[in-house]
Amino acid sequence: MSPLDRRLITHINWPLLVMVAMLFGVGVLNLYSASGFRMGDGVSLNPFYQKQCIWGLAGFLGMITMTLFDYRYFKHVAWPLMILTIVLLAMVPIMGKTVYGAKRWLDFGLFSIQPSEFAKFATLMLGALMLSKGTGRLGWLELFTILAVALPPAAMVIVQPDLGSGLNILLLLGGMILFRGLTGRVFKVLLVVVPAIIPCGWFFLKPYQKLRVLTLFNPERDPLGSGYHIIQSQIAIGSGQMWGKGFLEGTQSQLRFLPEKHTDFAVAVFAEEWGFVGAIVLVALFSIFLYLLAGASRDAKDRFGSFLCAGVFFYFFWQILINMGMVLGIMPVVGIPLPFISYGGSATIVNFCLIGIVLNVSMRRFVFKKA
Amino acid sequence: MAKTYEPDTGQQSPRGGLILLQSLILGLFCLFTVRLWYLQVHKGEHFAELARENQMRQASIIAARGMILDRNGKPLAINEPSFALGLIREDCEDIQATLRKVSEWTGLDYQVLLDTYIRGKKRSKQFEPMVLISNLSYELLAKIEANAVSWPGLEILIRHKRYYPDGQTLAHVMGYVAEANEEELEKDSRLALGDHVGKQGLELVLEQRLRGEKGLKQIEVDAYGREHDQQVIQEPRTGGNLMLSIDADLQTFVGKQLEGQAGAVVVLQPETGKVLALVSQPTYDNNLFVLGIPPKKWKELRDDPMHPIQNRVSQSVYPPGSTFKLLMAACALSEGLVKTSDTAFCSGSYRVGDHDFHCWKKGGHGSVDMRAALVHSCDVYFYQLGEKLGIDRINRYALQSGFGQPTGIDLPHERSGLIPSTAWKKRRYGENWTRGETLNASIGQGYVQVSPLQLAKFLASLVNGGKVIRPSLVLDDPVEVQSKLALSDKDREFILKAMADTVQAGTAQKLKRPDAVIGGKTGTAQVVKLQNADVRQKTHEMPYKYRDHAWISTWGQKDGKSYVVVCMLEHGGHGGESAGPVVKAVYDYLFGPVPAAAKSAAKAAGQPQPAQEIGD
């Protein structure tokens, strides 16, 4: 591992770092409000925002770690990491810990890990490695090779069941494939086949998941059950109107009509208290953030780095689209958090580490040292 | 440098890929902007309203029912706190399971609870607790309180419960309140399930005056239904307190006099029509109904051959017997058909066709004028008077004087009684009126039926100068003169004098006291036609249900105080004999004991006590 060159410091992607810091700051501020709920005699707080700060600190350390060595080492790590991930995922059904009815955790006594988080990194790195080889658009053979390698872990995550993470991995990979580009014929065929396959996925959904999709189209069909989330979320956002109800003044969240308000529906709290103006600012921040990721991909010194950044771009892009789409009532309720805004330990650490990878790529866009 | 990773450095990233990323960002931004605009600006007002509805619940504030007091301020109907089990269906996760649990705690049938719930669902507002069970016992209350925590939606409600401290004594006057039934709820939108409304007596008739007006409050709640803040939008208005003309002590006293018998006593002030006591025996405890009477108890009351629920003062009618002769005399005098000095000869019977109509006095009264006929209650005199008047004239006069129709007292289900006429008979039986029937009617028998209250009202009009006044139970309600008695003052005073003489020397001597002017008229009304008119059986030898009804209608004046007291004892036998002592006790109560001085003065005057006349 090469020591940190002074030039590396000067080439740090400051705009991206600042944008991440702003988003995380907004997230903590919003969690402060979302942690509060009105008791008989005032506002009481759950310590979520404090914990989130600690997770952020841990994530920041992870992010630094990710920049310490040349990202090209990931090329060598990609395959072993994928194999390790598959082994760990295979262990989950056997010795996993059941939390909320799903087996997602492996307990090693001293610490617990979620192999699905490993799967994200493994898919990102291996995908970047495989897609960066060759320059043309993907033909059938290359496409199937990549899918053959990347689909099994994604499938294993989905059956845990962790539809959110599984979907995230699939979409990340799909985004990277599109980023590379497909030959005209393959693209046309997929354009027909993929929409045909998606409805088949319906039969693999659990009943509660089916219900969520159905309630998207008609929330009133079950206003106190699964439609409740969607209805209350829209009431929260809509009642914020142009200027919002003000910080800590959101009735929907303070009186706890809004479910999951510190995790999946955190952005609804924000939109209620800061109104249309605040929400647009947040959407703009996310857009700039994504634009910077795309820029890092464009400016990368090599194709591997470019694909790594594109993979991270898609990882965040899909989460933002699905989470905010869900909160705004245009996507089904899927348990995918909003990066930097939703509370969550492992998600925060993973997010920062991924940013670390992008920072790594962009700070090394001018200097390539021999390993 | 570049050599190490040569294949990689050529084209850093696919051009198409970059365009893809940038257009995705643009698409994301536009999509969310449009959607946020739609939710927050376009429909913002709508969602703001929904958010307000979310946090604000409206709830009724129960208004207390007005209290009922007697004329001296003694409470007769008051409110006590009671506990009810309420259900807020929006907070309830599983209605059926919750109701099953409630059924388990209380032992009430699940199906009954479900029916109550279904009825309540129709009319309770959103988030307003509906009453599942009223009047929880303390035992049940403790049980539910301890368990309800784990069953969201259940709530203990504090309500008012009516309590009648003098239950038995005043049951027929007060009536009672109980939970509103389906029909009442349907008729009155202000009522909610579990509300109590008047069902009988004053509580029913004066419902609108007694019932308050519910208030409204707005409560800020969170998603768990916990209340955070509340604001009264409309204060509840307590129902008006009512002061009755009833004197509770007199009522209790009179009730004691009638204990063990079936009968009615009404005491009223002739000048105002205000009722001081209204007693019907046997009676019942009206508190039983407030709590929801157990079916077994209800069956017992309903099937009791003595009909304790019946108010014998206004809801029962009887042949008035000889007390009706007062009306006969008034009618004849007002028509100017006879003079008071005209006499008739009573031989003990009066022959119409081939049937003998007897006077109660076997040997006859000899020659009697109107005064003597009233004092000694001569039947034959009134047979002849009746023949002169004819039934239709009697009917018309009686109706003008307030008979044959409800008196208008503030009590429900009053009976009209019956004053027959030729037209009535034709209508009712399709037959012609007969002479004999006129004779029967003339002495208050046959078809004639009056309630004790009607008689008291008629007597009051004789005493007060001819004003037919609606009997009233509410102290401060204005006096309501319904009509004027068609009778000259001279003739009216003649009848009063005759009544006073009846007490002095006639059939009502039991009432005589030296320090007051008391007038009376007794009556003994046959329940069945005597098989053998010659042999009048002694009362105690007859089976109870064939015994005569005993009547006595009186007025009394002393020191400017004036009362009308009417007593009727069902199957009580002879009027003066059995009803007389009851009324005498009432006057002793009203006027106080006879002063010793007055007593000895009467003795000293050496007036020989005339032999008590036991007659009709």
Side-chain angles (χ1 to χ4, degrees):
Chain A
M1 191 185 290
S2 58
L4 267 179
D5 196 300
R6 177 184 292 221
R7 279 175 302 177
L8 291 180
I9 308 278
T10 57
H11 289 124
I12 283 176
N13 189 340
W14 287 108
L16 180 62
L17 208 53
V18 168
M19 200 50 63
V20 168
M22 280 174 74
L23 284 170
F24 185 71
V26 168
V28 171
L29 191 73
N30 188 53
L31 272 182
Y32 180 84
S33 175
S35 313
F37 53 90
R38 238 181 273 175
M39 296 298 279
D41 50 352
V43 172
S44 175
L45 286 175
N46 274 330
F48 286 122
Y49 70 102
Q50 290 166 339
K51 280 194 188 166
Q52 180 75 350
C53 287
I54 294 168
W55 293 125
L57 201 65
F60 186 74
L61 293 176
M63 183 177 79
I64 303 256
T65 313
M66 285 293 175
T67 61
L68 290 182
F69 46 85
D70 195 313
Y71 64 90
R72 283 167 295 177
Y73 279 106
F74 290 140
K75 287 182 177 177
H76 310 299
V77 179
W79 280 106
L81 183 63
M82 182 53 103
I83 290 163
L84 175 70
T85 300
I86 291 176
V87 171
L88 289 175
L89 281 172
M91 284 162 70
V92 168
I94 303 163
M95 49 179 287
K97 205 165 52 168
T98 305
V99 180
Y100 295 128
K103 277 189 178 175
R104 295 175 185 176
W105 291 84
L106 277 180
D107 196 347
F108 288 101
L110 281 177
F111 58 97
S112 303
I113 58 164
Q114 237 178 320
S116 55
E117 305 293 356
F118 282 70
K120 291 172 187 169
F121 286 97
T123 309
L124 171 71
M125 289 171 189
L126 197 61
L129 181 65
M130 293 175 81
L131 286 164
S132 61
K133 281 180 183 146
T135 52
R137 295 180 172 185
L138 283 183
W140 286 115
L141 185 67
E142 290 156 296
L143 180 64
F144 281 123
T145 314
I146 290 168
L147 290 181
V149 173
L151 280 186
M156 288 166 90
V157 170
I158 289 178
V159 297
Q160 276 182 351
D162 187 351
L163 185 65
S165 294
L167 208 59
N168 210 200
I169 292 166
L170 281 181
L171 289 169
L172 176 150
L173 187 70
M176 285 169 79
I177 290 171
L178 285 178
F179 182 70
R180 163 79 185 264
L182 296 160
T183 57
R185 198 140 45 105
V186 174
F187 186 74
K188 278 175 198 158
V189 171
L190 288 184
L191 211 58
V192 177
V193 172
V194 172
I197 289 175
I198 288 173
C200 298
W202 174 257
F203 299 105
F204 295 101
L205 290 179
K206 306 238 179 252
Y208 77 93
Q209 292 169 331
K210 287 183 185 173
L211 203 60
R212 285 175 177 181
V213 176
L214 287 177
T215 42
L216 170 73
F217 299 110
N218 183 13
E220 272 76 22
R221 59 176 269 147
D222 186 10
L224 290 177
S226 56
Y228 183 79
H229 289 51
I230 295 179
I231 292 172
Q232 294 302 336
S233 160
Q234 292 191 35
I235 292 176
I237 295 168
S239 64
Q241 294 181 277
M242 181 60 90
W243 301 103
K245 296 178 186 171
F247 187 54
L248 296 179
E249 296 294 327
T251 55
Q252 283 289 104
S253 58
Q254 303 298 337
L255 294 172
R256 295 201 260 192
F257 288 100
L258 195 60
E260 307 284 336
K261 60 182 176 140
H262 56 276
T263 55
D264 291 356
F265 285 85
V267 73
V269 177
F270 186 83
E272 184 186 19
E273 298 189 342
W274 300 92
F276 177 69
V277 175
I280 284 299
V281 168
L282 185 65
V283 171
L285 286 181
F286 271 123
S287 299
I288 296 168
F289 166 72
L290 287 173
Y291 182 81
L292 291 172
L293 291 180
S297 169
R298 181 193 60 213
D299 298 337
K301 194 76 186 165
D302 60 359
R303 285 174 64 80
F304 179 62
S306 178
F307 272 95
L308 277 181
C309 293
V312 173
F313 171 92
F314 280 110
Y315 178 79
F316 285 116
F317 174 80
W318 291 120
Q319 289 196 58
I320 294 166
L321 180 72
I322 292 174
N323 178 279
M324 285 195 66
M326 162 185 85
V327 173
L328 289 171
I330 46 181
M331 294 253 174
V333 176
V334 181
I336 287 184
L338 187 61
F340 306 112
I341 304 296
S342 294
Y343 170 81
S346 35
T348 302
I349 292 175
V350 168
N351 290 343
F352 273 102
C353 287
L354 289 171
I355 297 299
I357 291 174
V358 174
L359 288 176
N360 191 336
V361 171
S362 35
M363 66 204 269
R364 287 184 172 82
R365 66 199 139 133
F366 303 116
V367 278
F368 272 152
K369 283 194 159 183
K370 273 204 171 178
Chain B
M1 253 181 343
K3 269 178 193 165
T4 325
Y5 298 99
E6 197 163 5
D8 234 6
T9 49
Q11 195 184 351
Q12 282 109 349
S13 56
R15 260 181 72 85
L18 266 173
I19 296 168
L20 175 72
L21 301 196
Q22 281 160 359
S23 33
L24 283 176
I25 296 171
L26 191 68
L28 182 97
F29 184 82
C30 294
L31 175 69
F32 288 161
T33 304
V34 169
R35 182 65 181 174
L36 282 166
W37 175 269
Y38 173 76
L39 288 179
Q40 299 193 284
V41 181
H42 182 67
K43 299 203 81 170
E45 211 39 73
H46 166 72
F47 283 115
E49 184 56 41
L50 287 181
R52 270 193 294 278
E53 275 174 24
N54 247 349
Q55 67 187 104
M56 291 303 177
R57 294 181 181 180
Q58 290 200 333
S60 307
I61 311 172
I62 298 298
R65 196 177 174 85
M67 290 203 295
I68 303 179
L69 313 165
D70 91 335
R71 67 187 304 122
N72 301 312
K74 185 177 184 236
L76 303 178
I78 57 176
N79 302 313
E80 288 191 332
S82 86
F83 301 94
L85 179 62
L87 178 85
I88 302 176
R89 64 182 194 279
E90 284 80 3
D91 291 342
C92 196
E93 279 158 11
D94 185 341
I95 302 261
Q96 295 190 359
T98 307
L99 291 181
R100 277 221 177 77
K101 208 74 204 167
V102 171
S103 155
E104 198 179 291
W105 295 333
T106 58
L108 287 170
D109 191 34
Y110 168 73
Q111 202 54 44
V112 172
L113 287 171
L114 192 65
D115 288 348
T116 311
Y117 166 76
I118 290 166
R119 280 196 293 135
K121 204 169 74 167
K122 276 196 290 182
R123 49 189 119 248
S124 63
K125 281 190 222 123
Q126 253 200 327
F127 292 108
E128 188 161 59
M130 66 170 86
V131 176
L132 281 183
I133 309 170
S134 303
N135 296 310
L136 293 173
S137 67
Y138 283 98
E139 198 181 324
L140 261 183
L141 177 69
K143 206 166 171 185
I144 292 173
E145 276 274 67
N147 291 301
V149 189
S150 39
W151 293 89
L154 289 181
E155 200 176 314
I156 299 289
L157 311 168
I158 299 176
R159 290 288 151 94
H160 298 291
K161 190 193 85 183
R162 204 65 155 166
Y163 177 66
Y164 307 102
D166 292 313
Q168 304 249 8
T169 326
L170 275 150
H172 295 108
V173 176
M174 311 300 294
Y176 50 84
V177 297
E179 251 179 72
N181 61 27
E182 190 64 16
E183 200 183 318
E184 287 154 342
L185 290 169
E186 205 63 60
K187 259 198 302 210
D188 193 336
S189 60
R190 292 169 300 168
L191 290 176
L193 196 67
D195 282 358
H196 280 59
V197 292
K199 298 273 188 178
Q200 269 299 346
L202 280 172
E203 293 272 32
L204 171 61
V205 174
L206 302 179
E207 169 73 19
Q208 296 308 324
R209 287 163 75 172
L210 289 165
R211 192 201 296 173
E213 213 172 283
K214 286 181 191 173
L216 199 63
K217 65 182 169 182
Q218 200 167 45
I219 310 167
E220 194 192 57
V221 291
D222 65 19
Y224 302 94
R226 269 189 288 264
E227 301 183 2
H228 289 277
D229 193 20
Q230 63 176 47
Q231 192 186 353
V232 174
I233 297 176
Q234 198 190 332
E235 291 280 356
R237 198 178 52 75
T238 306
N241 287 351
L242 275 186
M243 201 170 233
L244 299 189
S245 56
I246 293 282
D247 180 332
D249 295 335
L250 174 67
Q251 175 87 12
T252 309
F253 177 81
V254 177
K256 284 220 178 77
Q257 306 307 309
L258 281 187
E259 229 158 60
Q261 311 186 64
V265 173
V266 57
V267 181
L268 53 78
Q269 293 172 328
E271 297 296 334
T272 57
K274 298 293 173 195
V275 177
L276 292 169
L278 194 154
V279 176
S280 173
Q281 283 279 11
T283 182
Y284 64 99
D285 185 359
N286 48 355
N287 286 306
L288 281 175
F289 287 86
V290 177
L291 301 168
I293 188 162
K296 206 179 128 227
K297 192 88 198 153
W298 166 240
K299 207 167 142 16
E300 233 174 82
L301 274 175
R302 192 193 55 193
D303 298 343
D304 190 327
M306 299 299 278
H307 305 296
I309 296 175
Q310 184 118 349
N311 180 356
R312 289 176 161 78
V313 175
S314 62
Q315 295 175 344
S316 301
V317 289
Y318 311 86
S322 297
T323 53
F324 200 62
K325 291 170 185 166
L326 296 170
L327 182 98
M328 292 295 295
C331 176
L333 292 172
S334 89
E335 295 284 341
L337 276 179
V338 292
K339 288 206 277 289
T340 53
S341 54
D342 291 352
T343 59
F345 184 79
C346 170
S347 63
S349 70
Y350 182 68
R351 195 168 185 85
V352 171
D354 55 355
H355 191 81
D356 276 338
F357 284 82
H358 293 272
C359 183
W360 66 268
K361 197 172 180 182
K362 256 188 186 167
H365 287 94
S367 178
V368 286
D369 61 4
M370 190 181 265
R371 195 198 69 87
L374 280 169
V375 170
H376 302 291
S377 202
C378 175
D379 290 341
V380 171
Y381 179 90
F382 285 97
Y383 290 149
Q384 294 182 7
L385 202 62
E387 289 231 282
K388 272 190 202 137
L389 286 167
I391 189 64
D392 286 335
R393 240 185 251 163
I394 298 168
N395 169 275
R396 204 165 51 234
Y397 191 79
L399 291 185
Q400 276 170 19
S401 310
F403 290 98
Q405 58 208 290
T407 63
I409 193 172
D410 323 276
L411 290 176
H413 316 306
E414 210 186 329
R415 284 195 53 192
S416 300
L418 178 64
I419 304 295
S421 67
T422 51
W424 169 82
K425 175 123 193 252
K426 195 92 196 157
R427 203 168 54 237
R428 182 80 168 71
Y429 296 105
E431 287 170 16
N432 288 324
W433 187 262
T434 65
R435 267 180 82 191
E437 284 167 338
T438 306
L439 300 197
N440 270 333
S442 303
I443 59 162
Q445 294 282 164
Y447 297 117
V448 180
Q449 290 200 307
V450 306
S451 71
L453 190 62
Q454 286 173 335
L455 212 48
K457 181 182 172 187
F458 175 65
L459 239 66
S461 69
L462 285 177
V463 175
N464 68 20
K467 290 174 284 182
V468 180
I469 297 173
R470 178 181 82 87
S472 154
L473 285 162
V474 183
L475 190 61
D476 294 330
D477 278 2
V479 174
E480 223 176 282
V481 179
Q482 293 169 321
S483 63
K484 191 92 174 108
L485 204 60
L487 191 64
S488 72
D489 284 350
K490 190 177 123 270
D491 293 339
R492 205 170 43 72
E493 267 149 28
F494 166 79
I495 292 173
L496 292 177
K497 179 75 179 48
M499 288 177 80
D501 290 348
T502 308
V503 170
Q504 286 303 319
T507 53
Q509 289 177 44
K510 279 221 155 61
L511 302 182
K512 192 158 66 173
R513 57 184 284 161
D515 59 337
V517 185
I518 295 175
K521 182 77 200 79
T522 58
T524 306
Q526 283 168 240
V527 176
V528 285
K529 230 183 192 148
L530 292 178
Q531 293 302 312
N532 185 350
D534 294 331
V535 187
R536 193 152 199 177
Q537 280 175 289
K538 289 269 186 267
T539 298
H540 62 267
E541 290 165 353
M542 297 169 80
Y544 177 79
K545 62 175 183 172
Y546 297 134
R547 289 182 198 168
D548 299 337
H549 296 317
W551 282 98
I552 185 161
S553 306
T554 69
W555 51 265
Q557 289 170 335
K558 186 196 169 193
D559 306 334
K561 286 189 283 190
S562 178
Y563 302 99
V564 163
V565 182
V566 170
C567 172
M568 189 282 312
L569 295 181
E570 226 171 72
H571 310 295
H574 183 263
E577 283 288 275
S578 49
V582 173
V583 172
K584 175 180 162 42
V586 173
Y587 281 115
D588 284 349
Y589 181 95
L590 290 169
F591 294 147
V594 180
K599 233 182 222 167
S600 53
K603 278 231 170 81
Q607 279 180 1
Q609 295 280 322
Q612 291 258 326
E613 188 181 31
I614 299 175
D616 197 7

